[in-house]
Amino acid sequence: MKTIGHWINGEHVSSVTANTSTVFNPATGAEQAQLQVATAEQVNDVVAAAKAAFTVWGNSSLSQRAKILFAFREIMNHRVNELATAITDEHGKVLSDAAGEVQRGLEVVEYACGLPTLLKGEYSDQVSGGVDLFSYRQPLGVVAGITPFNFPAMVPMWMFPVAIATGNTFILKPSERDPSASLLMAEMWKEAGLPNGVFNVIQGDASVVNALLDHPDIKAISFVGSTPIARYIHGRATANGKRVQALGGAKNHSIILPDADIDFTAKHLVAAAFGSAGERCMAISAAVTVGAVADPLMARVAELAQEVKVGSGRDTSSEMGPVITVDSKKRIESLVASGEAQGARLVLDGRGYKVAGFEEGFFVGPTLIDGVTTDMDVYQQEIFGPVLSTVRTDSVDEAIALINANPYGNGTAIFTSSGEAARRFHREVQVGMIGINVPIPVPMAYYSFGGWKDSLFGDHHIHGPEGVRFYTRGKVVTSRWPEFTEASGASFSFPTAK
Ligand code: NAD
């Protein structure tokens, strides 16, 4: 069976280790590779390589960095299909969706190509007699990214293009479920001319993550994953004096007002709930209906949900693939069962879903649950599967209050034809990313991505301007070039402008 190792200092590194983790093909259920979990020595090796590379990369010219980023973009553009296929085989999502996540990641690379502009500082002439003042930002050093299974290319690309463009060296610890995309991207960096040690990949589980969180030579941690782990990462790494941005889980609500277009809304809800088998941090998980829209809307949603083509991600006619593991399938199915047991109405039941020819695959069919209330497990937990719950409310106030009472605050959307309602919604809702008739409001790369409340721990959202700030720190220089004829202005009192 194939083994998957690391990328350290510009080379594939494999090791004989007893500690491995199985990578499955979720569509067939077959084991397809063994992932080597890095040893403590390998973690030290990768940090040492990144630290040595920083002495050169941190001093490289802006134009040299920009040229390499442009080359990386070109290479990835040519290899999108190869990358998408690797993602589909390990994650399960359909090929077009995998290519879409690569495209969204590339947009961050394109943003980072503008680094000479992004890193421009400020200059104030003559702040005092003969004194000028300027500020600029410098890289932090070695930084690490720890990423989830659901976007094995895009989420790392939320981090490393900006980190590398701003002069840092980067260590990626991808998800152990779908690690191959990270190694393909490492090869692309090498082909683009990135010096060895600037981009590295270390594979593993919690033991490897802990070693990164505790390593004194790592200056910052970017994390994306579930809320309990995000909270833990933030606590441990900040206690170790590191800068941390830790993006957590989500429970995304969409509110639908009586003046929304039923067909438009239903189509978008179905795509946003079941695309990528609901394994998107911005997937719509709860449809919050206001008033009389509920019955006609849910009837149309049910019709459309039954038509979703579920199958292997490799089959280009599939719209939705399997979920990531057999454990995930069991967890999702048991949450659906709990919803029914707690009094919700199962409109469409995707449990026990079988795809002909893929009987061992980890499939869950589109599932619709109506009459969900906020005390039910199916509402309170992040399901991360193809399950759409409907919560019925009587007013916009009730709907907004419900969203604000939820501990998560990643994404939300409103479907309406009222500008006044939309404006009120985006101003009052305590969520980081908001869609107005847009169900999955993932910001473009030149804005920053991030949630509120339990969906993000730390001060910075990811990529865009906040990413540039996260991976750099500011310096302010006060400068005077006097003619040394007199010690004018030398004073024992605190300096003030003259
Ligand atoms: P996860 O939290 O299980 O794993 C994320 C990373 O943390 C992986 O690299 C994993 O190896 C590591 N990890 C897992 N357990 C750990 C532990 N005990 N100690 C240290 N490290 C550990 O998440 P996942 O299942 O891979 O991904 C799905 C989750 O990610 C969902 O909750 C989803 O909402 C969230 N997510 C959030 C965003 C966002 O932008 N907020 C984006 C994508 C995914």
Side-chain angles (χ1 to χ4, degrees):
M1 190 184 293
K2 191 170 109 177
T3 56
I4 297 174
H6 322 286
W7 180 269
I8 302 175
N9 210 18
E11 284 181 2
H12 284 288
V13 173
S14 60
S15 54
V16 182
T17 165
N19 197 358
T20 60
S21 160
T22 303
V23 179
F24 289 89
N25 180 328
T28 62
E31 296 185 7
Q32 57 175 334
Q34 286 298 320
L35 177 88
Q36 298 180 332
V37 175
T39 60
E41 195 184 2
Q42 285 174 320
V43 174
N44 286 334
D45 287 350
V46 78
V47 179
K51 190 178 178 186
F54 178 66
T55 58
V56 178
W57 187 248
N59 287 310
S60 60
S61 73
L62 300 186
S63 54
Q64 184 189 357
R65 290 185 219 162
K67 279 193 185 97
I68 291 171
L69 274 148
F70 273 106
F72 178 77
R73 173 188 179 272
E74 286 309 297
I75 292 162
M76 187 172 278
N77 258 331
H78 283 112
R79 293 177 69 179
V80 168
N81 291 342
E82 184 190 351
L83 196 50
T85 305
I87 293 168
T88 292
D89 286 352
E90 292 181 353
H91 176 284
K93 65 177 71 175
V94 301
L95 281 169
S96 57
D97 194 31
E101 80 155 272
V102 175
Q103 186 52 46
R104 292 306 300 261
L106 269 170
E107 288 166 6
V108 183
V109 178
E110 287 161 5
Y111 172 75
C113 284
L115 69 105
T117 306
L118 299 174
L119 287 176
K120 274 163 86 171
E122 293 172 316
Y123 195 101
S124 296
D125 171 58
Q126 191 72 348
V127 294
S128 185
V131 178
D132 303 329
L133 191 147
F134 58 97
S135 70
Y136 63 102
R137 299 187 72 83
Q138 289 189 317
L140 305 178
V142 181
V143 300
I146 299 154
T147 53
F149 80 82
N150 67 325
F151 285 106
M154 182 185 77
V155 168
M157 283 195 275
W158 283 353
M159 304 171 182
F160 66 69
V162 179
I164 289 174
T166 49
N168 302 278
T169 56
F170 193 87
I171 300 169
L172 173 62
K173 205 304 284 173
S175 167
E176 55 273 51
R177 315 238 179 273
D178 44 16
S180 292
S182 59
L183 296 173
L184 284 172
M185 293 191 288
E187 289 172 5
M188 294 176 200
W189 273 125
K190 180 145 186 154
E191 198 183 330
L194 191 72
N196 292 343
V198 178
F199 179 78
N200 307 274
V201 180
I202 191 93
Q203 310 284 5
D205 53 16
S207 64
V208 174
V209 172
N210 287 338
L212 295 172
L213 301 181
D214 293 344
H215 202 296
D217 288 334
I218 294 180
K219 302 300 176 202
I221 299 282
S222 297
F223 172 86
V224 177
S226 59
T227 286
I229 309 299
R231 187 182 277 118
Y232 163 74
I233 299 267
H234 182 258
R236 186 158 173 165
T238 51
N240 285 330
K242 301 185 197 314
R243 191 175 282 197
V244 185
Q245 52 181 182
L247 282 69
K251 188 83 188 178
N252 304 310
H253 299 69
S254 211
I255 76 169
I256 305 101
L257 302 198
D259 61 10
D261 182 283
I262 298 279
D263 200 52
F264 174 91
T265 306
K267 283 180 179 151
H268 280 284
L269 280 182
V270 167
F274 305 128
S276 201
E279 292 173 322
R280 291 179 181 142
C281 59
M282 293 289 275
I284 295 289
S285 165
V288 183
T289 56
V290 176
V293 74
D295 285 340
L297 177 71
M298 293 326 292
R300 184 71 183 121
V301 166
E303 271 171 22
L304 293 167
Q306 283 173 39
E307 291 167 7
V308 173
K309 295 190 189 72
V310 182
S312 158
R314 282 273 197 145
D315 178 346
T316 50
S317 69
S318 301
E319 292 172 316
M320 180 184 125
V323 298
I324 186 73
T325 58
V326 72
D327 284 348
S328 181
K329 173 179 162 71
K330 285 182 191 156
R331 189 184 50 77
I332 294 163
E333 292 183 339
S334 84
L335 273 168
V336 173
S338 79
E340 195 175 29
Q342 290 169 2
R345 190 167 63 87
L346 213 46
V347 179
L348 186 62
D349 186 356
R351 290 175 295 175
Y353 199 96
K354 291 283 176 225
V355 174
F358 295 86
E359 285 75 10
E360 301 304 315
F362 311 142
F363 291 96
V364 180
T367 300
L368 282 178
I369 317 181
D370 202 348
V372 170
T373 50
T374 55
D375 53 343
M376 294 178 185
D377 292 341
V378 76
Y379 177 79
Q380 291 184 351
Q381 293 193 29
E382 180 182 26
I383 304 175
F384 223 55
V387 179
L388 181 63
S389 303
T390 303
V391 184
R392 294 176 178 234
T393 65
D394 293 326
S395 68
V396 182
D397 287 342
E398 193 188 340
I400 292 176
L402 186 137
I403 295 172
N404 287 347
N406 194 276
Y408 296 106
N410 212 41
T412 189
I414 185 169
F415 286 92
T416 182
S417 53
S418 159
E420 187 275 333
R423 182 172 187 272
R424 195 176 136 212
F425 177 73
H426 78 70
R427 294 197 71 250
E428 290 183 14
V429 81
Q430 289 165 22
V431 174
M433 293 171 286
I434 296 156
I436 297 169
N437 298 312
V438 174
I440 303 195
V442 175
M444 295 301 287
Y446 35 92
Y447 285 77
S448 299
F449 179 108
W452 284 19
K453 301 192 280 186
D454 285 359
S455 295
L456 187 140
F457 301 86
D459 303 320
H460 289 87
H461 288 195
I462 210 161
H463 70 61
E466 294 206 22
V468 174
R469 288 191 76 78
F470 180 77
Y471 289 122
T472 56
R473 53 189 168 172
K475 263 186 182 166
V476 186
V477 181
T478 308
S479 161
R480 170 162 55 197
W481 293 99
E483 291 174 19
F484 291 100
T485 50
E486 52 162 332
S488 62
S491 165
F492 282 89
S493 55
F494 200 68
T496 53
K498 298 274 185 312

